[in-house]
Amino acid sequence: MTSEDIRSELERSPFIPFRIHLVSGKTMDVRITTNAWILQNSVLLLDPPIDRDEEGGYNLLSLRNIERLELLGRAH
């Protein structure tokens, strides 16, 4: 997977949420464009906080470990 593949989904207008499938079998959803940041060889996914009193987390995904992208539904 390349950074351009992911960038094109993030810049799609209107945006359509998508799921990232990793080679390990794990999946990660991107529902908001501002929660995903493309870095040099990876993608940083921010996890929004579940509760106002908590901090969100993040996942750093290596591009070489991303198997495919799956569109989740209609534009929001």
Side-chain angles (χ1 to χ4, degrees):
M1 183 68 50
T2 69
S3 59
E4 283 307 311
D5 295 330
I6 296 171
R7 186 182 323 279
S8 67
E9 292 303 326
L10 290 171
E11 293 176 353
R12 181 189 293 259
S13 182
F15 174 72
I16 298 174
F18 61 94
R19 178 167 292 142
I20 297 174
H21 290 262
L22 303 174
V23 295
S24 67
K26 186 175 180 177
T27 60
M28 307 292 295
D29 291 348
V30 179
R31 299 197 175 272
I32 302 170
T33 59
T34 56
N35 286 0
W37 296 86
I38 300 170
L39 305 176
Q40 186 173 1
N41 295 311
S42 57
V43 177
L44 177 68
L45 293 180
L46 303 177
D47 295 328
I50 297 171
D51 189 332
R52 285 187 176 196
D53 297 331
E54 294 181 14
E55 292 184 18
Y58 67 90
N59 288 284
L60 188 60
L61 310 175
S62 172
L63 289 172
R64 66 180 179 187
N65 289 327
I66 298 175
E67 183 178 86
R68 65 184 177 95
L69 303 178
E70 170 191 6
L71 295 180
L72 292 178
R74 296 229 176 261
H76 291 240

